[in-house]
Amino acid sequence: MLRVGIIGVRGYTGEQLLDLLLRHSRVKINYLTARVDKPVKISELFPQFKNRLDLVCDNFNLSRALESADLFFLALPHTASMDIAPLLRKGGKKVIDLSADYRLKDYKLYEAWYKAKHKDRKNLKKAVYGLPEIHKVDIREADFIANPGCYSTLAILSLAPLVQVRLAKLGSIIIDAKSGYSGAGRKSTDDPFWGEIKDNFNAYKVDNHQHTPEIEQELSKLAKKKIKVTFVPHLLPIERGILETIYVRVTGYACLPARQGLRVTEQKLIEQYKRFYKDEPFVRIKGEGEFPSLRDVQYTNFCDIGIKVSQDKKLLIIISAIDNLVKGASGQAVQNMNLMCGFRESEGLPRRNCGATSEEKEVSNGAYYE
Ligand SMILES: NC(=O)c1ccc[n+]([C@@H]2O[C@H](COP(=O)([O-])OP(=O)(O)OC[C@H]3O[C@@H](n4cnc5c(N)ncnc54)[C@H](OP(=O)(O)O)[C@@H]3O)[C@@H](O)[C@H]2O)c1
């Protein structure tokens, strides 16, 4: 059994991680931290874990951490992760960081977008960007993972197959994203901001969100040329899920009637996406005229993608959805752990709806797990 620890278990992603890891057959949860006045049983923080895990949660203590677990999930805000990650790495532990501290390879970009000095440039160089569908080979070899942002996960998965076929004008990408409020962390429901979320819908950080450089970094690597995107996030008055509607202009070449054989059609693009993701257990490409819905991905590790080609407007419209706390954070972190540790990639990950077989167990909340 792999002994794992969660640093920052009291937040949204920490709680989700705990729930997923408790269903995982190859791990033992052996260390939990939160900022507490005195040690407290995890079931006192979260009554839903009563009779499922008998473990005490305490403030972070390095020597106790090092003796208790071999792999750590850091479910902390950015800047807090880079205080702890180097200590665990120095102690020879595997680390999966859910924060943004190790995602941007250019530390100057990190410092500009996150308004904080990068204190661990040595590990920044070594951390592997943990998007399994794109970086699987590197993740299998890695000891340190920078788990991607939720919006970035969805945008990159939605655009990766397109960037490689060169049918799209890569300078024209517009990402219109909508997220449930859990994307902003538990604090968002505890402060007066919650009053602004309820029964409301609004854009925020318009063309100025910190996931923009992360999306650009990964798409540029895939395209082997610099790509800029326009990214506009919105806040939905629901707890979880992200839906993105992405607009991309098609190259004139791909639309010319004279080039019938090369002309981009929905059918061809869908085939292209299916080929690109043919070995990926968590990406589902919709058929012609079908588009994702948050309900189909909530509480699962799936990413659903639908495609529309508007020939007369020379426009591609890609609509995609994930659960921000599962594929957008904790589920993806478990997927990364599975790859790093040689477990089955889908071990312990929710597969509600499509993919559930009679062998898979139905659990209390109605989701199916492997
Ligand atoms: N929410 C999402 O959908 C999502 C998706 C992808 C990535 N992420 C990233 O994952 C990380 C965690 O997100 P979250 O949504 O779980 O946030 P959260 O609900 O706000 O929880 C973060 C936890 O970190 C702890 N914490 C805060 N400052 C700390 C410090 N200086 N030292 C130690 N612990 C500290 C807090 O612990 P106490 O409660 O004990 O004070 C809090 O419970 C963030 O970096 C976030 O950007 C989140």
Side-chain angles (χ1 to χ4, degrees), residues 186-201:
R186 178 149 273 134
K187 60 192 174 305
S188 64
T189 50
D190 290 344
D191 67 22
F193 185 53
W194 173 233
E196 298 295 314
I197 299 171
K198 240 181 4 165
D199 299 324
N200 199 4
F201 179 61

Side-chain angles (χ1 to χ4, degrees), residues 217-235:
Q217 168 182 289
E218 292 301 306
L219 292 181
S220 301
K221 264 193 232 160
L222 283 166
K224 299 192 173 66
K225 68 182 222 189
K226 209 163 177 45
I227 293 183
K228 289 273 179 199
V229 301
T230 303
F231 173 56
V232 182
H234 299 73
L235 198 54

Side-chain angles (χ1 to χ4, degrees), residues 10-13 34-35 75-77 80 98-99 182-183 185-186 324-325 328-329:
R10 191 150 52 171
Y12 272 123
T13 59
R35 294 180 300 181
L76 299 172
L98 277 78
S99 89
S182 62
R186 178 149 273 134
N324 56 295
L325 291 175

